[in-house]
Amino acid sequence: MASFSASAGSFSAVPCALKQNQVPNLRKASLSFSGKAFPSYKMPALRFRVSCAAKPETVNKVVEIVKKQLALPDDRDVNGESKFSTLGADSLDTVEIVMGLEEEFGISVEEESAQSITTVQEAADLIEKLLEK
């Protein structure tokens, strides 16, 4: 588990990934792992995004649904970073993928959220968020 704190906010005790170019006005950040602190680092004008990854089993279920919906061969490499468009999905395919996810996980995805899903990982993250509610 890691703890991340910055002038724009603080996140702790969650397994998260930090991606560049997503959080505005971050100027200074410090990290600590298992209680060991590292010195603060003055950041250049960059943006970061903190995202918590879905469970591997959720990602695997989404991968299987996407492969089935798009009739992809079993040997086709599909993972969390796979973009629906790269896999050959058009907007109708994406709607059908979302419908399959709703059925499999017993959730309801609002249209606005459904339109923002572009990767397998985003779909898995949204599913876990909806299941938590």
Side-chain angles (χ1 to χ4, degrees):
M1 296 291 175
S3 173
F4 173 80
S5 60
S7 59
S10 177
F11 309 92
S12 62
V14 289
C16 293
L18 189 64
K19 294 186 179 179
Q20 187 174 336
N21 297 327
Q22 297 296 320
V23 174
N25 303 322
L26 182 64
R27 297 290 182 259
K28 187 176 180 182
S30 60
L31 294 171
S32 82
F33 295 92
S34 301
K36 297 194 186 242
F38 295 89
S40 293
Y41 176 68
K42 185 159 174 80
M43 306 292 288
L46 298 175
R47 292 181 169 192
F48 288 87
R49 176 176 66 127
V50 175
S51 62
C52 297
K55 296 175 193 167
E57 54 268 19
T58 303
V59 175
N60 291 338
K61 277 188 181 180
V62 173
V63 165
E64 291 307 313
I65 291 168
V66 169
K67 280 184 164 184
K68 181 181 176 184
Q69 188 61 46
L70 298 177
L72 297 174
D74 290 336
D75 63 345
R76 176 73 188 260
D77 184 34
V78 179
N79 57 49
E81 299 301 316
S82 299
K83 293 185 177 187
F84 295 156
S85 60
T86 304
L87 297 172
D90 60 20
S91 59
L92 180 58
D93 290 323
T94 302
V95 168
E96 291 175 349
I97 289 168
V98 170
M99 289 171 54
L101 296 172
E102 288 177 323
E103 185 177 320
E104 174 70 25
F105 290 95
I107 57 172
S108 179
V109 179
E110 293 185 20
E111 186 176 342
E112 184 178 297
S113 296
Q115 291 176 352
S116 69
I117 299 171
T118 60
T119 67
V120 170
Q121 186 67 53
E122 289 173 0
D125 292 342
L126 178 62
I127 289 165
E128 291 210 350
K129 179 181 172 185
L130 292 171
L131 289 173
E132 286 177 3
K133 289 183 179 181

